[in-house]
Amino acid sequence: MRKVLWVLGVVALTWAFVGPRAHVALAQPFQHFFRRSPTPKPHVPAKPPAPSVVLGARLYVRACESCHGPKGNGEGFWSLPTGKNAPALTGLTPNAASWMQTIRDGRGMMPAWGQVLNHTELQSLALYLNSLNKPLVKSPS
Amino acid sequence: MRGAAGLSAVAAVLGDLPRGVFAQKSSGITPFRFVHLSDTHIGYEGDANRDVAGTLDRSLMAIAALNPAPEFIVVTGDLTQAAETTTVRKARFVAFRSKMEGTGIPFYCVPGEHDALMDRGELYQKAIGPLHYRFERGGVQFFALDNVSRGFFVGDEQRQWLAQEIHKVDPNAPTIILAHAPLYDLFVPWNWYTYDAQQVLALFQHFRSVTVLFGHIHQLMSRRQPHVIQAAGLSTAWPLPEPVGLEKLEKWPQSASDPLMGLGLRVIDVGASGDMAVNTVLLSDERREEASS
């Protein structure tokens, strides 16, 4: 009987070391040494993006800055074909509906951005334009 | 201008357009030659070029001296310099047109922002022709696009037209897109880009090889993507600096010692296999050859 148990023990140990799941039996107790922290997955918003000043600022750089300038004062990096500067976008009376229309349909040499921008993007640009025309908070001094 | 000197082989012979880009296919291509002209800016008055009509004349003389002669000329925009009044603009279009017609060589144009931005291409269409169209030559498909008349984009309406036209052509045939502004973000602060270029090129993604010939930047630059090669033509009016920083785009005054510096055109030979050989003709070289003869 003792002999049989001894043989069974040897077989079980051999199986544990060379059997098909030997790597699991041996490595599992030490797995925490090798485990990497899980890779964070990107957050995918479930809803389409809402209009935002941040999106507007990003679009402004790509669509408007060349002519209207980084400060929106009409001092861009590219003159209009007539050699003039584009109008300043600062010092305007807030009028979101009118701005939206101008951005979408264009006016004079102003492009009709409605050809390539969706409603959210147009609204975002109007929000950014609004932010350029907000009075700055005065410093206490 | 001396005979074959027209091809003064300053040889961008595929300096930036690698040979064989069209070599995969193409049966049914009749070899032909055409010329790529750009940014002639007829009517400009200023220090960047004191005689734009003269430099266009020189370019046309160089074309007339080519042997073999080109079958046609493509002009990628800014044919005229913008002006405040319609009368002046119209006169400039007429001047451009009469010069081109004087060559006796057929020509195809696309609008530049100087031609079309102020009235969304209305006058251009009356004076020159449609803003966008398609034609075929020798087995090669040409798509002439307008990426300036409403802003630096192609836009929804034209993309819809393009999607319909694309279904009518063989995607294995060599395809050339003519446009004024590059179909990639070359330098956005100077409007050297097309806002919806990716959407436009996505329509051609099943095409075997596409070449975009553009103008606008007044210098030789190119970009190679897996199935699209984009190459700028030279201006006949003035060269522009390459973008190095966030500065306003300014023209240089024309050089007194080398007034034709950086001006020229490109001669493109399409072979039977669809491959293209590109030679750059520099007007300053032409002038030196004239002086030495």
Side-chain angles (χ1 to χ4, degrees):
Chain A
M1 187 59 190
R2 194 183 288 174
K3 218 171 190 177
V4 172
L5 287 174
W6 177 251
V7 170
L8 280 175
V10 169
V11 168
L13 270 175
T14 312
W15 186 254
F17 277 95
V18 297
R21 294 187 56 77
H23 63 287
V24 177
L26 294 172
Q28 216 154 26
F30 310 104
Q31 229 171 30
H32 61 281
F33 285 120
F34 308 107
R35 192 179 291 149
R36 290 181 186 170
S37 55
T39 312
K41 289 184 178 174
H43 173 70
V44 181
K47 292 178 186 173
S52 70
V53 180
V54 176
L55 176 59
R58 212 166 62 215
L59 290 167
Y60 181 87
V61 170
R62 193 157 157 69
C64 320
E65 189 184 71
S66 55
C67 300
H68 294 288
K71 295 176 183 171
N73 58 1
E75 292 177 11
F77 302 115
W78 186 80
S79 301
L80 298 175
T82 48
K84 293 179 177 170
N85 281 351
L89 302 175
T90 49
L92 303 176
T93 310
N95 186 340
S98 162
W99 290 346
M100 275 283 286
Q101 192 186 356
T102 306
I103 298 167
R104 187 187 62 221
D105 302 334
R107 185 193 295 164
M109 277 183 270
M110 164 81 186
W113 285 106
Q115 281 282 315
V116 281
L117 299 181
N118 61 34
H119 192 67
T120 304
E121 291 169 327
L122 293 169
Q123 280 183 310
S124 299
L125 272 175
L127 284 173
Y128 181 70
L129 194 51
N130 191 48
S131 77
L132 290 178
N133 287 280
K134 275 185 180 164
L136 294 173
V137 179
K138 285 182 182 172
S139 68
S141 59
Chain B
M1 217 66 51
R2 292 156 56 94
L7 263 189
S8 70
V10 176
V13 178
L14 307 181
D16 46 12
L17 291 184
R19 184 180 290 277
V21 60
F22 282 168
Q24 298 100 328
K25 195 230 149 175
S26 281
S27 58
I29 292 180
T30 313
F32 64 94
R33 165 176 281 183
F34 70 99
V35 167
H36 180 194
L37 268 186
S38 200
D39 297 270
T40 50
H41 286 272
I42 290 300
Y44 169 83
E45 289 172 358
D47 284 342
N49 184 335
R50 293 171 202 97
D51 182 15
V52 281
T55 45
L56 176 57
D57 284 342
R58 279 182 170 275
S59 306
L60 297 179
M61 284 161 68
I63 292 169
L66 290 174
N67 187 15
E71 288 196 15
F72 60 95
I73 300 169
V74 298
V75 194
T76 50
D78 282 355
L79 324 174
T80 60
Q81 179 73 10
E84 295 283 357
T85 67
T86 306
T87 317
V88 174
R89 290 182 59 215
K90 198 172 176 180
R92 290 176 181 181
F93 278 125
V94 169
F96 170 82
R97 197 171 176 136
S98 72
K99 279 192 184 298
M100 294 302 292
E101 285 173 349
T103 63
I105 302 170
F107 60 98
Y108 298 92
C109 302
V110 291
E113 79 278 5
H114 278 264
D115 306 311
L117 187 60
M118 45 281 297
D119 64 352
R120 304 197 173 178
E122 208 172 294
L123 186 58
Y124 176 92
Q125 289 178 81
K126 287 177 190 160
I128 303 294
L131 293 167
H132 60 263
Y133 52 96
R134 176 172 71 84
F135 64 97
E136 184 269 333
R137 270 303 178 98
V140 177
Q141 293 294 335
F142 288 81
F143 289 87
L145 300 184
D146 159 26
N147 55 357
V148 292
S149 72
R150 292 175 170 222
F152 285 94
F153 48 74
V154 170
D156 281 342
E157 288 164 21
Q158 195 180 169
R159 268 188 275 121
Q160 281 170 19
W161 166 83
L162 191 56
Q164 288 170 356
E165 290 299 309
I166 277 173
H167 284 299
K168 299 175 188 168
V169 303
D170 176 9
N172 291 317
T175 302
I176 296 177
I177 300 173
L178 308 174
H180 181 59
L183 288 178
Y184 66 102
D185 286 1
L186 203 164
F187 193 59
V188 176
W190 288 354
N191 284 332
W192 289 7
Y193 81 127
T194 299
Y195 190 91
D196 54 351
Q198 284 188 346
Q199 290 157 278
V200 173
L201 292 179
L203 295 171
F204 290 92
Q205 64 185 357
H206 60 294
F207 277 56
R208 192 158 284 186
S209 67
V210 177
T211 301
V212 181
L213 300 179
F214 64 95
H216 191 45
I217 66 167
H218 295 222
Q219 61 197 288
L220 296 183
M221 279 194 187
S222 63
R223 185 194 206 204
R224 192 176 185 186
Q225 291 163 284
H227 73 298
V228 181
I229 287 179
Q230 306 205 32
L234 283 171
S235 168
T236 65
W238 56 80
L240 284 174
E242 66 178 306
V244 288
L246 276 179
E247 291 169 7
K248 188 162 185 157
L249 173 59
E250 300 283 3
K251 298 187 271 285
W252 293 301
Q254 191 172 22
S255 161
S257 58
D258 191 357
L260 303 174
M261 183 179 65
L263 309 183
L265 53 105
R266 301 187 104 179
V267 181
I268 300 167
D269 289 297
V270 180
S273 63
D275 61 316
M276 293 199 320
V278 182
N279 287 279
T280 303
V281 177
L282 292 177
L283 296 188
S284 50
D285 284 4
E286 299 285 310
R287 187 170 176 245
R288 279 184 209 109
E289 281 167 24
E290 261 176 29
S292 65
S293 65

